[in-house]
Amino acid sequence: MAGPIIITVGNNKGGVGKSTTCINLSAGLAREGASVLVVDGDPQSNTTSTLLPDFGLRENSSLVKALEDPEGAFSPNACATKTEHLEIVPNSIRCMEWEVRSYAGIDSVLGFSRLLQNDKDIGRYDYVLIDTPPNIGPMLRNALLISDYVLVPCPVGDQYALDGFSTFVQVLSQAKQQNKKLLLLGVVLTKFDGRAVTHKKNKGRIRAFFDAKGIPVFDTEIRVNIDIDRAHSHRKSIFEFDATKSGALDYHALAREVIARVEKQA
């Protein structure tokens, strides 16, 4: 059975929309009929908080539990969400303790590779999306070594959005030395307010920056939409909250664009 397309959602900066994108892109892909597994690799666990219906499930199924088990795998730790075709391997603050313990060990780099190799049922998913923390640590490095693609959220309204991006690109290059199939699927512009002059200027500057480096940028832009925050406060994706809102329209368009780009690469 062919394996799923694995996509890391990553950026070493915080507040760029990684978890928001992971939550709503995964839901968008599921709405397109894809079978999707989200792996919450961020110890802050915001993706888990939104998608997991019952926090008690983390006692028996979690990313840390899988990593601490020599025979661990992703899919046995997958929990159903309220969205059809979408499951999640949840995380918790205990992941920080695992990171400290594993820092000098082989699992600090190859833990996810072990889980994937052990996973006999991973082929039931079409896509695996991995949320990652805002740092260049074990979670990000593990994710990159099993991924086919990287998707990078970049907030338009942040004057410092491009700071540190060269460091992130270096990390991708290092990962690619061990994972030859790894490709940058694209940068997705987030938190765009078309009414703000500074946002329009920043968008042009950011697109020009990436174009000059030959880095693909998605046509879809994620607009500022307070309903996304409202949805997450109700522990729902934007589609569950209100599929007519601009946030839902944007993430649905992004899901379709991701599918098209992946199919083009195939």
Side-chain angles (χ1 to χ4, degrees), residues 154-162 189-193 196-210 217 221:
C154 181
V156 174
D158 186 351
Q159 296 287 345
Y160 307 104
L162 301 177
L189 303 185
T190 61
K191 305 183 180 183
F192 174 58
D193 187 346
V197 174
T198 54
H199 280 225
K200 292 178 181 178
K201 290 181 179 178
N202 280 353
K203 184 178 80 167
R205 179 174 64 90
I206 292 169
R207 283 194 175 273
F209 173 86
F210 289 123
V217 179
E221 297 164 354

Side-chain angles (χ1 to χ4, degrees), residues 67-239:
L67 287 166
E68 290 177 342
D69 180 359
E71 303 300 322
F74 291 116
S75 59
N77 287 279
C79 301
T81 70
K82 291 172 285 187
T83 298
E84 189 177 8
H85 308 306
L86 176 59
E87 297 181 347
I88 182 170
V89 176
N91 207 339
S92 71
I93 200 70
R94 282 185 54 217
C95 189
M96 288 185 177
E97 299 171 5
W98 177 87
E99 286 184 298
V100 172
R101 292 197 308 270
S102 70
Y103 210 88
I106 193 169
D107 266 8
S108 67
V109 178
L110 297 176
F112 284 17
S113 298
R114 174 174 58 82
L115 299 186
L116 187 63
Q117 186 174 8
N118 289 344
D119 205 323
K120 307 304 181 186
D121 295 321
I122 198 70
R124 74 174 189 250
Y125 302 105
D126 299 308
Y127 289 90
V128 174
L129 268 62
I130 308 175
D131 192 12
T132 57
N135 58 54
I136 301 170
M139 288 291 117
L140 176 62
R141 294 184 185 278
N142 264 276
L144 293 177
L145 289 190
I146 66 167
S147 292
D148 301 289
Y149 300 105
V150 183
L151 185 149
V152 184
C154 181
V156 174
D158 186 351
Q159 296 287 345
Y160 307 104
L162 301 177
D163 289 2
F165 191 81
S166 59
T167 301
F168 190 73
V169 171
Q170 288 175 3
V171 172
L172 295 185
S173 297
Q174 292 168 3
K176 193 171 176 62
Q177 292 176 13
Q178 295 175 276
N179 178 11
K180 303 297 184 184
K181 68 179 185 295
L182 183 66
L183 293 173
L184 180 55
L185 189 61
V187 173
V188 57
L189 303 185
T190 61
K191 305 183 180 183
F192 174 58
D193 187 346
R195 300 164 297 181
V197 174
T198 54
H199 280 225
K200 292 178 181 178
K201 290 181 179 178
N202 280 353
K203 184 178 80 167
R205 179 174 64 90
I206 292 169
R207 283 194 175 273
F209 173 86
F210 289 123
D211 286 346
K213 294 183 176 297
I215 295 172
V217 179
F218 284 95
D219 294 331
T220 303
E221 297 164 354
I222 309 301
R223 290 167 285 179
V224 168
N225 182 214
I226 190 63
D227 290 297
I228 291 179
D229 293 331
R230 289 173 178 157
H232 293 178
S233 71
H234 287 84
R235 296 177 59 198
K236 295 180 177 181
S237 73
I238 186 60
F239 299 102

Side-chain angles (χ1 to χ4, degrees), residues 8-61:
T8 287
V9 180
N11 190 324
N12 53 310
K13 286 179 65 67
V16 301
K18 288 188 297 296
S19 294
T20 296
T21 295
C22 201
I23 291 163
N24 295 295
L25 173 58
S26 63
L29 290 169
R31 284 173 65 88
E32 286 292 296
S35 179
V36 184
L37 177 66
V38 170
V39 176
D40 190 353
D42 186 349
Q44 296 178 90
S45 308
N46 292 334
T47 297
T48 295
S49 297
T50 302
L51 293 180
L52 190 67
D54 179 2
F55 284 173
L57 294 171
R58 291 191 294 190
E59 296 301 315
N60 297 315
S61 302

